[in-house]
């Protein structure tokens, strides 16, 4: 089943947030989180221990709504427009091979860091990437 987008968000009383869409495996719900909005992916079969994936957005309901509306979770690992990924491991779309450009590696701040770097000073993903490259030595 491809992503089903709701015409209007569905209130989720447990998470005190709004479900924007769902697919075969997950519900996609945004919640207030301090100064941010967090989009969370809740497993349909087992959400007893929380959510599988999360992405932090600016406190802008339109921004997260648009990001989910434009996202195809079948072929795209993650939505766009967030500034922090608080969860691990990174989500992998079931048919991610169909969209290799979109699915290039992104750091925890949402940047395609291997091409564009990251605006965050001392981005951990860049440091770890450089450490690995260094450990391997010259090719
Ligand atoms: Zn980064």
């Amino acid at each position: 089943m491809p992503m089903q987008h709701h015409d209007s968000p569905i209130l989720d009383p447990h998470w005190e947030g709004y479900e924007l869409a769902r697919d075969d495996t997950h519900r996609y719900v945004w919640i207030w989180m301090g100064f941010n909005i967090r989009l969370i992916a809740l497993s349909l079969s087992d959400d007893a221990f929380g959510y599988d994936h999360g992405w932090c957005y600016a406190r802008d309901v339109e921004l997260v709504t648009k990001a989910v509306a434009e996202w195809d979770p079948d072929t795209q690992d993650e939505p766009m427009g967030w500034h922090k990924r608080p969860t691990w491991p990174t989500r992998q779309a079931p048919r991610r091979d169909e969209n290799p450009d979109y699915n290039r590696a992104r750091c925890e701040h949402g940047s395609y860091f291997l091409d564009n770097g990251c605006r965050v000073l001392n981005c951990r993903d860049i440091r770890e990437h450089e450490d690995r490259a260094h450990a391997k030595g010259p090719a």
Side-chain angles (χ1 to χ4, degrees):
M1 173 177 94
M3 182 90 120
Q4 306 287 308
H5 296 275
H6 308 317
D7 290 335
S8 39
I10 299 170
L11 177 68
D12 183 308
H14 175 73
W15 288 94
E16 296 180 352
Y18 291 90
E19 180 180 319
L20 297 175
R22 64 169 62 198
D23 60 17
D24 280 338
T25 58
H26 289 84
R27 304 190 296 125
Y28 301 96
V29 174
W30 69 259
I31 56 178
W32 297 115
M33 199 85 181
F35 293 109
N36 295 309
I37 282 175
R38 183 170 292 178
L39 175 66
I40 57 176
L42 289 157
S43 169
L44 291 176
S45 56
D46 178 17
D47 67 0
F49 297 103
Y51 42 88
D52 290 348
H53 304 287
W55 299 276
C56 297
Y57 286 81
R59 210 175 160 85
D60 178 345
V61 174
E62 248 177 75
L63 178 70
V64 68
T65 303
K66 185 167 178 285
V68 172
E70 292 173 349
W71 181 34
D72 174 12
D74 283 345
T75 61
Q76 299 174 337
D77 290 343
E78 303 181 281
M80 286 291 179
W82 45 273
H83 61 263
K84 178 87 181 172
R85 179 202 298 122
T87 48
W88 192 90
T90 302
R91 181 183 184 275
Q92 299 222 318
R95 290 165 29 224
R96 64 192 310 273
D97 292 352
E98 294 176 23
N99 205 339
D101 191 53
Y102 187 102
N103 293 322
R104 284 172 292 149
R106 294 165 78 181
C107 72
E108 62 173 326
H109 309 106
S111 300
Y112 289 111
F113 67 104
L114 297 179
D115 306 303
N116 305 330
C118 177
R119 71 196 181 287
V120 177
L121 200 63
N122 277 319
C123 170
R124 190 189 60 198
D125 289 312
I126 290 183
R127 280 205 329 267
E128 287 180 358
H129 178 75
E130 286 169 353
D131 287 350
R132 277 194 303 272
H134 188 72
K136 262 188 247 161

